[in-house]
Structure formats: C-alpha cells, structure tokens
Amino acid sequence: MADVIRQQDKAPATRMLTGIQLDALREIANIGAGHAATALSQLTGSTIMIKVPAITVASIEDLPAQFAADEEPVAAVMMHMLGDLSGRTLLVFPKPTVMRLAELMLRRPVGSSVAFSELESSAIKETGNILSGAYMNALSDFLGMLLLPSPPSLVIDLSTAVLTSAFGEFAPDPDSVLCVESEFVLRETDLTLRGYFLLLPDPASLQVMLRAIRLA
C-alpha cells in the first residue's frame, strides 16, 4: 500500500510503519543530515551542502547491497546509544567515500590516501563520531529525550561482515533498522560523498520514539 511502509515479514513481531510515521522519521533525518553537513564543513574547512536524505526501514539482510558491491570493503563507525533510548548506531561509508573523507580530514591532496593506515583510521573514527553525534543530537532535540553516545569503534570489512559484527549479538528484531542515506556535496568541486546512518533501537525504544512523536 502507498501509505504503509512494511518491513520484511519474517516474524510475528514484525511491525508496520505508516507513511505519517515515516514522514516524521524523515524530518528527524533531514535535521540530522543538516547538522552533519555543518559539522563536516567545520571539520574539513570546505563548504559542504546536503541533498535531501532518503530514509528506509529494512531488514539487516537487505542492507548490504545498498552500501557497496560485494567485493568492496566499507568502513563503519559504531556507537551504543544510551539514556532514554537504547540501541546502536552505525555510520557506513563505501571505500571511495571514506578515503576521500580521510584526505579532507588530513588536508591531503586527492588520491594520496590509498590504504586504511592508523592515521586514516583515526581520522575516520573521529569523523564518524562527530557525524553520528549530529544525527543523535537531532533525534534527542526532536524527541525531547536524553541520548548519550558511547565512544566510537571502527570496523573495516565487507558490508555483510560489518553488519554481522555490529548487530549479531544485539538485534532481537533484525527487521527494525532505520537507514538514512545522505549525500554530502563539496561545493568547490561538486564531489559527492555518500554515507549511511543506521539506527537500530531495541523494540521498546522504537515504540518510545513513535509515542514521543505522538504517532504510535
């Protein structure tokens, strides 16, 4: 149905989100992406614009194909979400994006970063920490709740392995992943940097979110 977004029907507990609920989540994503673009501009010293992000609700199994080709590694910064809501967040970058981000962070010329060295990894972890914080702050402000991020951890692997590592021990309901696809555009060069912010609240926290926006 056009006004209902349904997740993978793999378990009786699988929920359905209406179009109105998804619109509210999309508004949060828009605010978070705007904050992230501002933070990225400040980090890199470049003027970075944001395209309207796309948000989907999907099963973990359906996400890897969105990130990169099967043989291409991705970099993912994972954080635990604590406070009034609990769950995990994951910021995923395809390899071309993450290498360019590292160059921007380290003020290096294009093409100078070709491997995930300790320096590049540190820069990407810091970038992911700040960008994920921007999305979480938007969610916190919109819902009027206290959300506390954990220190970030960095995983570099194939996308399927990354998701398995991030969510394998946690996900009681693997069909509740909110995925925000954002495109950041460097105004000076028209280069587009693509990233994915994943929010995996536990089942109770998802219902708290929907009640907070009075749509549950």
Side-chain angles (χ1 to χ4, degrees):
M1 298 295 181
D3 60 342
V4 176
I5 307 300
R6 181 165 185 170
Q7 302 165 321
Q8 290 289 322
D9 190 13
K10 294 183 179 180
T14 298
R15 290 173 295 275
M16 298 175 67
L17 298 179
T18 67
I20 294 174
Q21 289 171 332
L22 198 67
D23 284 344
L25 295 174
R26 186 177 291 111
E27 177 61 21
I28 298 172
N30 284 334
I31 296 169
H35 290 178
T38 299
L40 196 56
S41 295
Q42 294 171 345
L43 282 171
T44 62
S46 303
T47 301
I48 295 178
M49 314 298 288
I50 180 70
K51 293 184 178 180
V52 176
I55 181 170
T56 57
V57 182
S59 165
I60 288 176
E61 289 84 356
D62 293 335
L63 290 173
Q66 299 184 36
F67 303 149
D70 290 341
E71 68 276 8
E72 285 291 325
V74 297
V77 178
M78 184 180 72
M79 300 165 67
H80 292 266
M81 182 173 60
L82 309 170
D84 291 332
L85 300 177
S86 59
R88 290 186 179 180
T89 68
L90 201 68
L91 190 65
V92 181
F93 299 110
K95 184 178 180 180
T97 294
V98 80
M99 300 313 297
R100 185 65 187 112
L101 271 176
E103 291 167 351
L104 287 169
M105 286 286 290
L106 299 171
R107 309 299 169 95
R108 290 178 173 178
V110 177
S112 59
S113 293
V114 295
F116 292 110
S117 71
E118 183 176 348
L119 195 58
E120 278 82 4
S121 295
S122 178
I124 292 306
K125 186 185 292 186
E126 178 62 16
T127 302
N129 183 31
I130 293 172
L131 295 185
S132 292
Y135 284 105
M136 289 180 65
N137 286 340
L139 185 62
S140 177
D141 292 344
F142 194 94
L143 299 178
M145 295 181 177
L146 177 64
L147 301 182
L148 302 173
S150 72
S153 59
L154 177 65
V155 180
I156 300 171
D157 207 331
L158 300 181
S159 56
T160 300
V162 164
L163 292 177
T164 299
S165 173
F167 299 138
E169 297 179 359
F170 175 81
D173 186 351
D175 296 330
S176 300
V177 182
L178 308 181
C179 178
V180 180
E181 179 181 357
S182 301
E183 292 187 350
F184 303 99
V185 181
L186 278 69
R187 193 170 69 178
E188 293 87 348
T189 62
D190 284 334
L191 177 67
T192 297
L193 303 174
R194 180 167 49 93
Y196 301 85
F197 177 75
L198 308 184
L199 175 65
L200 183 66
D202 62 34
S205 290
L206 180 59
Q207 291 305 306
V208 169
M209 286 173 57
L210 296 177
R211 283 197 297 270
I213 54 180
R214 300 185 180 183
L215 295 171

